Amino acid sequence: MKFNEWLKLQEAIQIRFADGESSGEEASGAAYVFDDAGLRWTRDKELLMVAIDSDGQEEEIDAGSVVGAVVYSWGRDPYDQENEDHFIFDFDVAVRKDYQSKLMLRVGPRLIDAALSHYRSLAAEASSSEVKVYAVNPGIVKFLTSPRYGFQIDDELQDGKAMLSWRPR
């Protein structure tokens, strides 16, 4: 693949932050992506961002063009009674199954990078914070614990799942 072709593929996937004005189509698409990936979007998390396959179009999106999503929660650590100012950023990433195998698009890694960037902006306002992630498969555990991200395994669970944590260096 030539560089120009690769660049065009990268530009086709747009990462958009959700806000109070996010369309119902983005939320519906995100819910579909989580369902398609076999993940649950729990009530304590809100939509942070979506990955849109715009295919070079600037038109209004529909739910079918959402190919990835991040949901998150940010709040005080309920288990840390000694430090009331310790905050936890907990996020889940889902990528539509037909895009998980399209490694050149890097949908998952781009969403993770954007989520961690958002965490850094929140953490700048907190005296103490960390990221907690429930990794649902061995592949994502290996990916997040790689030197690129440096997550630590807090608890290994069945079937290669793990609870991970990360603090900025």
Side-chain angles (χ1 to χ4, degrees):
M1 172 177 287
K2 295 180 181 177
F3 179 75
N4 289 344
E5 294 170 338
W6 176 83
L7 188 59
K8 187 172 181 166
L9 282 174
Q10 295 301 305
E11 290 171 349
I13 304 295
Q14 299 174 2
I15 306 299
R16 295 187 187 173
F17 279 86
D19 56 22
E21 300 172 14
S22 293
S23 76
E25 295 295 327
E26 286 179 354
S28 295
Y32 172 80
V33 168
F34 268 82
D35 188 52
D36 182 58
L39 301 173
R40 279 188 321 139
W41 175 351
T42 57
R43 277 186 270 161
D44 64 325
K45 294 183 180 151
E46 62 184 88
L47 183 61
L48 175 61
M49 67 190 72
V50 292
I52 305 292
D53 186 348
S54 65
D55 204 19
Q57 307 298 317
E58 287 296 324
E59 302 170 13
E60 286 289 315
I61 66 152
D62 61 18
S65 61
V66 176
V67 298
V70 176
V71 296
Y72 82 109
S73 64
W74 169 253
R76 286 189 170 79
D77 185 350
Y79 302 107
D80 189 350
Q81 301 299 322
E82 294 176 16
N83 186 357
E84 292 181 8
D85 295 328
H86 186 71
F87 285 79
I88 300 293
F89 182 81
D90 180 9
F91 73 99
D92 296 324
V93 174
V95 176
R96 220 169 65 189
K97 283 185 180 178
D98 58 334
Y99 278 75
Q100 290 175 7
S101 61
K102 297 180 180 181
L103 299 178
M104 295 294 280
L105 295 177
R106 300 184 59 250
V107 176
R110 289 174 61 196
L111 287 169
I112 291 168
D113 290 345
L116 291 176
S117 177
H118 184 70
Y119 161 72
R120 286 182 191 96
S121 68
L122 293 172
E125 304 294 320
S127 60
S128 173
S129 65
E130 67 184 305
V131 177
K132 296 273 190 180
V133 174
Y134 172 54
V136 298
N137 66 57
I140 196 67
V141 171
K142 183 177 180 180
F143 185 73
L144 290 174
T145 57
S146 72
R148 175 180 177 172
Y149 292 106
F151 276 75
Q152 302 297 311
I153 296 175
D154 293 336
D155 193 13
E156 292 188 51
L157 308 169
Q158 287 181 301
D159 302 326
K161 299 174 184 174
M163 294 299 298
L164 307 176
S165 64
W166 180 82
R167 289 184 186 217
R169 296 177 187 143

Short mmCIF file of all heavy atoms in Angstrom, two decimals, residues 8 20 22 30 89 102-103:
data_model
loop_
_atom_site.label_atom_id
_atom_site.label_comp_id
_atom_site.label_asym_id
_atom_site.label_seq_id
_atom_site.Cartn_x
_atom_site.Cartn_y
_atom_site.Cartn_z
N LYS A 8 -5.24 8.30 3.09
CA LYS A 8 -6.66 8.45 2.78
C LYS A 8 -7.51 7.57 3.70
O LYS A 8 -8.57 7.98 4.17
CB LYS A 8 -6.92 8.12 1.32
CG LYS A 8 -8.32 8.41 0.89
CD LYS A 8 -8.50 8.25 -0.60
CE LYS A 8 -9.94 8.60 -0.94
NZ LYS A 8 -10.17 8.79 -2.33
N GLY A 20 -23.05 17.62 24.76
CA GLY A 20 -24.48 17.69 25.03
C GLY A 20 -25.31 17.75 23.76
O GLY A 20 -26.49 17.47 23.78
N SER A 22 -24.59 15.95 21.01
CA SER A 22 -24.36 14.77 20.18
C SER A 22 -25.68 14.28 19.61
O SER A 22 -26.71 14.31 20.28
CB SER A 22 -23.72 13.65 20.99
OG SER A 22 -22.44 14.01 21.39
N ALA A 30 -23.21 4.11 18.72
CA ALA A 30 -22.32 3.65 19.80
C ALA A 30 -22.92 2.45 20.51
O ALA A 30 -22.22 1.48 20.81
CB ALA A 30 -22.04 4.79 20.77
N PHE A 89 -10.65 7.44 36.56
CA PHE A 89 -11.15 7.53 35.18
C PHE A 89 -11.28 6.10 34.70
O PHE A 89 -10.30 5.36 34.65
CB PHE A 89 -10.14 8.29 34.31
CG PHE A 89 -10.57 8.48 32.88
CD1 PHE A 89 -11.45 9.49 32.53
CD2 PHE A 89 -10.07 7.66 31.88
CE1 PHE A 89 -11.83 9.69 31.21
CE2 PHE A 89 -10.44 7.85 30.55
CZ PHE A 89 -11.32 8.87 30.22
N LYS A 102 -9.41 -4.58 10.53
CA LYS A 102 -8.81 -3.59 9.63
C LYS A 102 -7.72 -2.85 10.39
O LYS A 102 -7.87 -1.69 10.79
CB LYS A 102 -9.87 -2.64 9.10
CG LYS A 102 -10.91 -3.33 8.24
CD LYS A 102 -11.95 -2.38 7.73
CE LYS A 102 -12.97 -3.10 6.89
NZ LYS A 102 -13.98 -2.20 6.36
N LEU A 103 -6.60 -3.54 10.60
CA LEU A 103 -5.53 -3.01 11.43
C LEU A 103 -4.96 -1.70 10.91
O LEU A 103 -4.50 -0.86 11.68
CB LEU A 103 -4.43 -4.05 11.59
CG LEU A 103 -4.87 -5.35 12.25
CD1 LEU A 103 -3.70 -6.33 12.31
CD2 LEU A 103 -5.43 -5.11 13.63
#
